[in-house]
Amino acid sequence: MGDLKRVALVTGGSRGIGLGIARCLARDGFDLAINGMREASSVEASLVELRALGADVVYIQADVAEATDRTRLLAAVRERFGRLDLLVNNAGVAPHVRADILAAPEESFDRVLRINLKGPYFLTQAAARWMIEERQADPERPLAIVNITSVSVTLASTSRGEYCVSKAGLAMSTRLWAVRLAEFAIPVYEVRPGIVATDMTTPVKDAYERRIAEGLVPQMRWGLPEDVGRAVAMLAAGNLSYSTGAVIVVDGGLTLPRL
């Protein structure tokens, strides 16, 4: 039975939104390859939690922005599980310092774009080649790729322009891969979170607490990592198999046009 379990690779899957996604997939019967930049010892508690949910879990330390690391990452997944059914491109970073776009340094732009856009773009390329092999071997097997973007795809934040540009690029990447992989029955989706309680939003917690209380988010609460995780699990289950390229917005109504 274990040999039949589906396998998901979740980048940035040991904390925040990535961990919320991994939890939901583990509950749905996936085995998990978790990727991150931290030392294995610092993510052990997350791995123990996921194993307690029934998943076989491996942690692979790798930088998705580096070509050699991407190759090593997929090789490790192949060695451990021999298959890949779902890729979740979740790993991402914010600028080290929020800075007005009139003054933000080029180095910050390069760093954020390499990790948030270049990394998942080329990880998808490599994973898709593997998935095409899998599809040819088994025409009925459910396969999928999910990109985690942000409401910053459409909402401009001039104090973190590089982040907005990276997520907008990832949204277009979703469309590109959805078109290219459609002939192989490999759907590609975008999940677009709003204001989610994670390490990334901790520095602006007080400001967002106030704005949410004032009505910024119609559902009047922070998003939780599991809110995003449930959306990914729904896509992984094949419930939108005829909707490649679809965007699932998980923002509590934040981006709804209102008068």
Side-chain angles (χ1 to χ4, degrees):
M1 187 73 167
D3 292 340
L4 300 177
K5 290 184 73 174
R6 298 175 70 197
V7 173
L9 167 57
V10 183
T11 66
S14 66
R15 59 182 172 184
I17 288 176
L19 181 56
I21 293 168
R23 287 182 185 123
C24 291
L25 292 174
R27 292 186 187 109
D28 279 1
F30 276 82
D31 286 334
L32 298 167
I34 301 299
N35 156 251
M37 287 286 290
R38 294 183 292 164
E39 295 291 335
S41 58
S42 67
V43 305
E44 186 59 31
S46 297
L47 305 185
V48 169
E49 176 187 353
L50 295 171
R51 290 176 182 131
L53 294 172
D56 183 6
V57 184
V58 61
Y59 177 73
I60 306 155
Q61 185 181 13
D63 181 355
V64 296
E66 296 294 335
T68 54
D69 278 23
R70 292 191 298 269
T71 299
R72 181 171 55 79
L73 171 59
L74 289 178
V77 177
R78 191 186 288 265
E79 180 180 358
R80 176 62 173 264
F81 297 110
R83 63 186 290 163
L84 178 64
D85 302 271
L86 174 68
L87 169 63
V88 182
N89 285 308
N90 166 76
V93 296
H96 284 312
V97 177
R98 291 186 176 220
D100 188 290
I101 57 175
L102 286 171
E106 187 172 339
E107 292 78 12
S108 180
F109 187 94
D110 289 343
R111 168 182 170 267
V112 172
L113 268 288
R114 285 179 63 253
I115 296 170
N116 293 8
L117 179 55
K118 179 183 176 182
Y121 186 93
F122 284 102
L123 183 60
T124 295
Q125 182 189 71
R129 290 170 177 166
W130 182 7
M131 287 181 168
I132 290 168
E133 296 174 11
E134 303 271 299
R135 169 60 67 238
Q136 292 168 342
D138 184 354
E140 302 302 320
R141 184 164 150 200
L143 303 169
I145 296 170
V146 179
N147 290 328
I148 308 302
T149 63
S150 166
V151 291
S152 295
V153 166
T154 58
L155 300 182
S157 298
T158 58
S159 63
R160 53 188 189 122
E162 57 271 74
Y163 183 82
C164 297
V165 169
S166 73
K167 293 300 185 179
L170 189 57
M172 175 51 74
S173 173
T174 303
R175 299 184 187 100
L176 290 166
W177 287 114
V179 171
R180 184 65 185 90
L181 298 178
E183 67 176 283
F184 303 104
I186 302 172
V188 184
Y189 306 104
E190 176 190 345
V191 174
R192 190 176 293 180
I195 303 168
V196 181
T198 67
D199 292 346
M200 188 181 292
T201 54
T202 297
V204 290
K205 183 176 184 294
D206 291 342
Y208 276 127
E209 288 277 8
R210 182 178 65 256
R211 296 185 69 189
I212 291 170
E214 292 170 349
L216 176 66
V217 178
Q219 289 191 236
M220 299 290 287
R221 70 168 176 87
W222 284 80
L224 301 175
E226 283 75 12
D227 291 319
V228 183
R230 284 189 288 271
V232 174
M234 179 266 296
L235 295 170
N239 293 333
L240 286 182
S241 59
Y242 193 57
S243 300
T244 192
V247 179
I248 308 300
V249 181
V250 186
D251 71 353
L254 171 63
T255 54
L256 287 172
R258 286 171 280 168
L259 288 174

